[in-house]
Amino acid sequence: MNQLHKEGKGYIVPDAISYRSAIDAWIRRWHKDSPRKVDALVKEMMTKYKDEERSDLRPDSNTLNLVLKACAHAPAMWKEKGHVEKGNDHPIAIANRMFSMLKGKNEYGATATHTTYAFMFHVYRQHMDFRDKRYATLMQNVWKHCCKDGLVSKFSFESFRDSVLEPDFWKALGGRDKFTKLGKTQMNDVSVEDLPKEW
């Protein structure tokens, strides 16, 4: 549609709905190229927002989170024999860039949400070997930021719980003993309502 419009063959200017439809289609494909394609579409929205003053294309938090969703849903390639990571096009690299944008100041006014953290947990779980020495530390650090930002929700909490080993789960919650006293002896016994309100 963009190309047709540029060539004067189309009279409909791509709008936010057009981009969202294309983004959703790529996410639903669960394809290894989905993160790169979605990232490119969002960057195109950013460019049009700035260069063409298309305020309707200003990417908000929900739009940027779709890049993380695409990364989380892309098939895991690290298990394939002979697979080599592709640097900046790797789902983790794309997700990390978007996460940094959401956590920092940006011209779009987009900020991290509980969905941001939930998808980041999914991204690391999907694209890292949990036996990697960096994995547990990385998950703990992201969880700490989630708590500090007050963005622990049912979605982000369950995403974290499903992405870590049991010892790391209890460590992140400050120890198992206090939950055992509440009759919560298994990971799945703990709900977001059992956590500190300030989280």
Side-chain angles (χ1 to χ4, degrees):
M1 188 180 291
N2 264 325
Q3 191 59 37
L4 287 173
H5 180 68
K6 289 177 183 178
E7 295 173 357
K9 299 177 181 177
Y11 299 99
I12 300 177
V13 179
D15 58 10
I17 296 176
S18 305
Y19 278 102
R20 180 63 183 263
S21 297
I23 288 170
D24 285 343
W26 271 109
I27 292 174
R28 288 196 301 270
R29 287 190 67 184
W30 292 68
H31 192 275
K32 64 182 179 66
D33 290 333
S34 293
R36 182 171 56 83
K37 294 291 187 179
V38 171
D39 187 44
L41 285 167
V42 172
K43 285 180 178 176
E44 193 172 287
M45 291 177 70
M46 292 175 177
T47 299
K48 288 182 177 295
Y49 167 72
K50 290 186 289 185
D51 296 349
E52 300 177 14
E53 298 182 350
R54 292 281 305 279
S55 59
D56 61 310
L57 295 182
R58 180 179 66 84
D60 58 11
S61 298
N62 291 332
T63 302
L64 301 187
N65 279 336
L66 289 175
V67 177
L68 303 182
K69 185 177 182 179
C71 294
H73 286 193
M77 304 300 291
W78 62 269
K79 299 177 184 178
E80 295 189 8
K81 187 176 181 181
H83 172 70
V84 179
E85 293 186 1
K86 286 187 173 182
N88 290 334
D89 283 339
H90 190 275
I92 289 179
I94 293 173
N96 282 342
R97 288 197 301 272
M98 195 56 61
F99 182 63
S100 295
M101 179 179 291
L102 284 161
K103 284 285 289 175
K105 292 182 179 179
N106 59 75
E107 59 192 290
Y108 315 109
T111 59
T113 67
H114 73 104
T115 302
T116 302
Y117 283 102
F119 283 141
M120 287 305 295
F121 293 132
H122 282 296
V123 168
Y124 294 135
R125 181 184 68 179
Q126 181 77 343
H127 299 290
M128 284 186 74
D129 185 343
F130 73 91
R131 293 168 296 188
D132 187 317
K133 293 180 179 179
R134 299 170 296 174
Y135 184 82
T137 300
L138 180 60
M139 290 300 235
Q140 293 281 342
N141 286 338
V142 176
W143 171 252
K144 287 177 182 177
H145 278 283
C146 185
C147 296
K148 182 179 178 181
D149 290 347
L151 292 174
V152 176
S153 65
K154 185 176 186 293
F155 186 27
S156 58
F157 171 64
E158 291 181 356
S159 298
F160 173 73
R161 184 189 64 197
D162 296 343
S163 301
V164 295
L165 297 176
E166 187 167 357
D168 297 318
F169 172 77
W170 293 117
K171 178 181 178 181
L173 268 59
R176 187 173 189 168
D177 291 346
K178 60 182 179 181
F179 292 97
T180 300
K181 293 176 182 178
L182 298 174
K184 313 279 186 173
T185 59
Q186 304 298 319
M187 292 170 63
N188 287 339
D189 292 338
V190 183
S191 68
V192 70
E193 287 79 16
D194 299 317
L195 305 179
K197 302 297 182 184
E198 60 270 23
W199 289 4

